[in-house]
Amino acid sequence: MSVLPAALERLIAELKRLPGIGPKSARRIAFHLLAAPPERAASLGAAASSLHERISRCGVCGNFTEDQPCDLCRNPERRASVICVVEDASDIAVVEKARSFDGRYHVLAGSVFDAGGSPEDDPRVTALMKRVRSGTVAEVIVATNPTHAGEAAAAWIAMLLKPEGVRVTRIGIGVPLGSELAHADSTTMAEALQHRSTL
Amino acid sequence: MSVLPAALERLIAELKRLPGIGPKSARRIAFHLLAAPPERAASLGAAASSLHERISRCGVCGNFTEDQPCDLCRNPERRASVICVVEDASDIAVVEKARSFDGRYHVLAGSVFDAGGSPEDDPRVTALMKRVRSGTVAEVIVATNPTHAGEAAAAWIAMLLKPEGVRVTRIGIGVPLGSELAHADSTTMAEALQHRSTL
């Protein structure tokens, strides 16, 4: 016999499936909502339930959006000649926060190797090729993660796009600005050495 | 102009209000749900929305329940002569997990000092007094948290209940079993010394 009511167990089960939420956090959150005014749980419920109702992928860049194309793709103040390629839509906000990029984006939506096939058959890579071939693109900045998969994707994208006569660049990789070398792990340090530039 | 769609911002705002979830976790969870099949978000939404529909406080012990009184209060195999007092309904599961208590519970539902009034006016303390006065209770185990508020509540409860002729006990407080003294903070160590027992 479980000590907890079924509706509570059900919410805990749903919360546990979320990234970064373990059994203890899930329990704590569920009890918190139970002790809070019912409006709190209702409003979280409504927000989660309606999430997919109006949001879809931008037909151009793959960003999550309520309009087609998305705000970033429609913005006339952003240059259409530079495309920043990111693995996930959530990475767009990270790049935007740096306030130093005024071009467009292209979301790969996960690793191009996920499906097990060749990256050239990946629909998001194919869509990128198409955008580049439209002729208005001068540079593609590959901002995939500095992981094995991200680096491999970067290499493939460079190989596929270079014959199209477009400049393909990779974001700088190394020791984070403002951090101390003592805190950099060996891989980061190795990357920083390899990606050194002349002063 | 925000980079994120309104429905996504709304879910992030709701998630951020939950205990233990910061802005980064909220973002990560929201994007995770957006990338997952829509059923995931819908099912979390339904679980949160329906949380308060069937769950209420047990009229006897204050535990969260779908039935009145709760399973624990109705269970004939549990002794009605011993009541374990906890601060929150979620603490019941912690005590149950120890598998060494077969009595009933009484939930204070937060600190008895929260309202700023005197503990003897607290409705949950009043309800406890009433249960004790019903005559079937021989012992009240105070399992409030070993915090300032929890200790103060324990002292008050002992003071109020002792004149009723009931045995009032406090859970053991000290260094956790299986832990090393080196990891115990000074307050825990001091408590452990103070609560020493004769061998």
Side-chain angles (χ1 to χ4, degrees):
Chain A
M1 187 184 68
S2 169
V3 180
L4 305 181
L8 187 57
E9 289 277 22
R10 186 182 156 207
L11 179 60
I12 291 172
E14 288 296 335
L15 290 168
K16 269 197 294 199
R17 299 180 65 189
L18 301 174
I21 299 194
K24 279 199 177 173
S25 307
R27 242 186 149 75
R28 185 169 159 223
I29 292 169
F31 271 106
H32 169 88
L33 285 173
L34 206 42
E39 300 78 56
R40 284 287 310 283
S43 114
L44 167 67
S49 302
S50 64
L51 181 65
H52 286 269
E53 263 167 35
R54 280 173 304 185
I55 300 182
S56 59
R57 295 266 184 190
C58 169
V60 179
C61 75
N63 186 16
F64 289 119
T65 179
E66 293 187 0
D67 308 293
Q68 288 293 345
C70 75
D71 287 349
L72 291 164
C73 284
R74 272 181 310 166
N75 189 341
E77 308 212 329
R78 301 191 72 105
R79 290 188 292 157
S81 57
V82 192
I83 292 177
C84 177
V85 177
V86 291
E87 285 182 43
D88 287 302
S90 55
D91 296 328
I92 291 179
V94 182
V95 177
E96 282 299 288
K97 232 178 153 181
R99 294 183 179 277
S100 55
F101 178 69
D102 66 348
R104 306 287 169 89
Y105 288 93
H106 192 85
V107 179
L108 295 177
S111 164
V112 294
F113 299 103
D114 273 352
S118 172
E120 55 211 300
D121 301 326
D122 182 277
R124 294 306 302 155
V125 173
T126 314
L128 176 62
M129 295 284 285
K130 219 165 153 182
R131 285 178 78 181
V132 167
R133 280 179 185 150
S134 72
T136 54
V137 184
E139 181 181 354
V140 171
I141 302 173
V142 185
T144 52
N145 296 321
T147 56
H148 279 299
E151 292 293 334
W156 267 97
I157 288 166
M159 205 184 70
L160 291 168
L161 292 185
K162 273 180 185 168
E164 307 293 330
V166 71
R167 191 177 164 216
V168 185
T169 56
R170 181 87 176 101
I171 49 160
I173 289 164
V175 180
L177 195 72
S179 72
E180 290 174 35
L181 286 197
H183 300 139
D185 62 72
S186 54
T187 321
T188 302
M189 197 60 234
E191 285 292 315
L193 285 169
Q194 198 192 324
H195 294 264
R196 68 191 180 277
S197 60
T198 313
L199 289 175
Chain B
M1 187 186 68
S2 168
V3 179
L4 306 181
L8 187 56
E9 289 277 21
R10 186 180 157 210
L11 178 60
I12 292 172
E14 288 297 337
L15 290 169
K16 268 197 293 200
R17 299 179 65 190
L18 300 174
I21 299 197
K24 279 199 179 177
S25 305
R27 241 187 149 73
R28 185 168 160 225
I29 292 168
F31 271 106
H32 170 87
L33 285 173
L34 206 43
E39 299 80 54
R40 284 285 310 282
S43 115
L44 168 66
S49 303
S50 64
L51 181 64
H52 286 268
E53 264 168 35
R54 281 174 303 187
I55 300 182
S56 59
R57 295 266 185 192
C58 170
V60 179
C61 75
N63 185 17
F64 289 119
T65 178
E66 294 187 0
D67 307 293
Q68 285 297 343
C70 75
D71 287 349
L72 292 164
C73 285
R74 273 182 310 167
N75 190 343
E77 308 215 328
R78 301 192 71 105
R79 289 189 292 157
S81 57
V82 193
I83 293 178
C84 177
V85 177
V86 291
E87 285 183 44
D88 288 301
S90 55
D91 296 329
I92 291 179
V94 181
V95 177
E96 282 299 289
K97 233 176 152 182
R99 295 181 178 277
S100 54
F101 178 69
D102 65 349
R104 306 286 169 91
Y105 288 93
H106 192 85
V107 180
L108 296 177
S111 164
V112 293
F113 299 103
D114 273 352
S118 171
E120 55 212 297
D121 301 327
D122 182 278
R124 295 304 302 154
V125 172
T126 314
L128 176 62
M129 295 282 286
K130 218 164 151 184
R131 286 180 77 180
V132 167
R133 279 178 188 151
S134 73
T136 54
V137 184
E139 180 180 356
V140 170
I141 302 173
V142 185
T144 53
N145 296 321
T147 57
H148 279 299
E151 291 294 333
W156 267 97
I157 288 166
M159 204 184 71
L160 291 168
L161 291 185
K162 273 180 185 168
E164 307 293 331
V166 72
R167 191 178 165 215
V168 184
T169 55
R170 179 88 176 100
I171 49 161
I173 288 165
V175 180
L177 194 72
S179 72
E180 290 174 37
L181 286 197
H183 299 140
D185 62 73
S186 54
T187 321
T188 302
M189 197 60 234
E191 286 292 317
L193 285 168
Q194 201 193 320
H195 294 262
R196 67 191 180 278
S197 59
T198 313
L199 287 176

